[in-house]
Amino acid sequence: MPDREWQKTLRKNNIKLTTSRKAIVEVFEDNRKHLSAEDVHEFLKKRNQKAGIATVYRNLDLLTRIGILHRVNFGDGKDHFEMTHKPIHHHHLVCNKCGKVIDYSEVMGESEFVSHLEKELSKRYEFKIESHQIYFYGLCNKCR
Amino acid sequence: MPDREWQKTLRKNNIKLTTSRKAIVEVFEDNRKHLSAEDVHEFLKKRNQKAGIATVYRNLDLLTRIGILHRVNFGDGKDHFEMTHKPIHHHHLVCNKCGKVIDYSEVMGESEFVSHLEKELSKRYEFKIESHQIYFYGLCNKCR
DNA sequence: ATCGTTGCAAAGGCTTTGCAACCTG
DNA sequence: CAGGTTGCAAAGCCTTTGCAACGAT
């Protein structure tokens, strides 16, 4: 089986492919969602691939630093992570009442507009933009 | 002196205008920035309007719930707050290296585009959108 | 064999909470 | 005067860290 993209990234950064590390990335591959450290920890337990919670934190941080994961924040007091290379680039809708998070993507013209914004801002502030996140907050269909 | 807008909001929600509460909002009025609870606490000390840190937290939360403040997150592990009704609506650029945050506004076409997005998303997900936030991450001019 | 990585438990940082005293409307 | 609000200290949560044992290259 050929290396997956993220394994190349590990090698390129001289990072070892340990059992826990591999298992953690696989949780995200099988679970295309924004998981908290505790979520990941739980998923690993279910698969009998237990890793200490400290290991989970250390790896989420490391994988974020080298660009395999993204850190997102929904205002619930903990960090969440998701794979950077999802099939489709997306953003989030967060319910202010129940905390539910909806991923959305493919709104017509959005990516073009974001490119326009990035170009304008990087020029205006001499800022090298590497990523962006858009959040909409409100009430979901159940909470309205 | 006529009531300021936020004082009406307090009254409307049956919330008392206490000394600490007033002082906290004034910190934001004089300091149009994204402050953490600790920042606010410090500013109050400087003005000899000390309030316990718990009071600061409780009020930041309350003021956020009734819409006078907005909660923003820059990935530094603590919440930051800013006045909702700034003279100009704005978003943030966050430096991944030094953590510096730049407020920006008035990029041509941005507000029109966001309205378009909101309309589309609220229809698609039956979601009542109340606010939004856009973050760009990258390297500031000093860190590049 | 080397040096990164792991687990555990302890420590740390931010935020929330219980409770009695206090203050606003 | 009633009920919201405050201060203080303790407790709660999420996250990080020290250190010895372990494991990938």
Side-chain angles (χ1 to χ4, degrees):
Chain A
M1 191 207 279
D3 271 10
R4 274 164 266 165
E5 205 49 47
W6 63 267
Q7 299 192 356
K8 291 185 194 161
T9 307
L10 287 193
R11 205 165 300 122
K12 196 164 52 189
N13 290 66
N14 287 313
I15 290 166
K16 289 177 181 167
L17 179 58
T18 63
T19 313
S20 318
R21 198 112 74 205
K22 189 155 174 281
I24 290 172
V25 178
E26 282 169 0
V27 167
F28 283 96
E29 289 186 317
D30 299 355
N31 232 299
R32 309 198 152 279
K33 285 196 304 194
H34 25 257
L35 306 174
S36 69
E38 194 50 44
D39 292 338
V40 174
H41 193 224
E42 289 302 319
F43 272 111
L44 291 176
K45 257 188 212 156
K46 280 187 201 151
R47 304 176 165 210
N48 289 316
Q49 293 171 309
K50 294 175 206 165
I53 189 72
T55 298
V56 173
Y57 273 105
R58 279 188 284 235
N59 277 304
L60 291 176
D61 194 59
L62 184 155
L63 294 167
T64 299
R65 284 202 313 275
I66 62 179
I68 292 171
L69 299 180
H70 262 184
R71 194 184 300 261
V72 287
N73 185 292
F74 304 130
D76 63 350
K78 43 195 160 184
D79 286 352
H80 292 248
F81 300 82
E82 50 188 23
M83 288 235 99
T84 298
H85 299 298
K86 293 228 184 181
I88 298 169
H89 186 70
H90 70 286
H91 295 297
H92 303 99
L93 273 68
V94 184
C95 179
N96 283 328
K97 197 161 173 193
C98 71
K100 178 179 177 186
V101 177
I102 299 174
D103 292 14
Y104 79 85
S105 55
E106 297 183 318
V107 172
M108 212 188 73
E110 181 170 15
S111 66
E112 291 77 359
F113 180 72
V114 172
S115 302
H116 160 64
L117 263 181
E118 290 195 353
K119 201 173 297 175
E120 168 65 19
L121 293 172
S122 58
K123 192 172 63 183
R124 193 193 291 182
Y125 297 104
E126 304 178 62
F127 201 97
K128 183 179 182 315
I129 294 176
E130 299 177 330
S131 65
H132 65 269
Q133 279 166 35
I134 302 179
Y135 299 89
F136 286 96
Y137 301 91
L139 298 174
C140 73
N141 57 353
K142 283 179 190 152
C143 292
R144 284 199 299 199
Chain B
M1 190 206 280
D3 272 12
R4 274 164 264 164
E5 205 50 47
W6 62 267
Q7 299 192 356
K8 290 185 196 161
T9 306
L10 287 193
R11 204 164 303 122
K12 198 165 48 190
N13 290 67
N14 287 313
I15 291 166
K16 288 178 181 167
L17 179 59
T18 63
T19 312
S20 318
R21 198 113 74 203
K22 188 154 174 281
I24 290 172
V25 178
E26 282 169 0
V27 167
F28 283 95
E29 289 186 316
D30 299 354
N31 231 299
R32 309 199 153 277
K33 285 197 303 195
H34 26 256
L35 307 174
S36 69
E38 193 51 43
D39 292 338
V40 173
H41 192 224
E42 289 302 318
F43 272 110
L44 291 176
K45 258 189 211 156
K46 280 187 199 151
R47 304 177 165 207
N48 290 315
Q49 293 171 308
K50 296 175 204 163
I53 189 72
T55 298
V56 173
Y57 273 105
R58 279 188 283 234
N59 277 304
L60 291 176
D61 195 59
L62 183 156
L63 293 167
T64 299
R65 285 203 310 275
I66 61 179
I68 291 171
L69 299 179
H70 261 184
R71 194 184 300 259
V72 288
N73 185 292
F74 304 131
D76 63 349
K78 44 194 158 187
D79 285 353
H80 291 248
F81 300 82
E82 51 188 22
M83 288 235 99
T84 299
H85 300 299
K86 293 229 183 183
I88 298 170
H89 187 69
H90 71 286
H91 295 297
H92 303 98
L93 274 67
V94 183
C95 179
N96 282 329
K97 197 163 172 191
C98 71
K100 179 180 176 184
V101 177
I102 298 174
D103 292 13
Y104 79 85
S105 56
E106 297 184 317
V107 172
M108 212 189 74
E110 182 170 15
S111 66
E112 291 78 1
F113 181 72
V114 172
S115 303
H116 160 63
L117 264 181
E118 291 194 352
K119 202 172 299 175
E120 168 66 20
L121 293 171
S122 57
K123 192 174 62 184
R124 194 192 291 182
Y125 298 103
E126 304 177 63
F127 201 96
K128 183 178 182 316
I129 293 177
E130 299 175 331
S131 65
H132 65 269
Q133 280 165 34
I134 302 179
Y135 299 89
F136 286 96
Y137 300 91
L139 298 173
C140 72
N141 57 354
K142 283 179 189 152
C143 292
R144 283 200 298 201

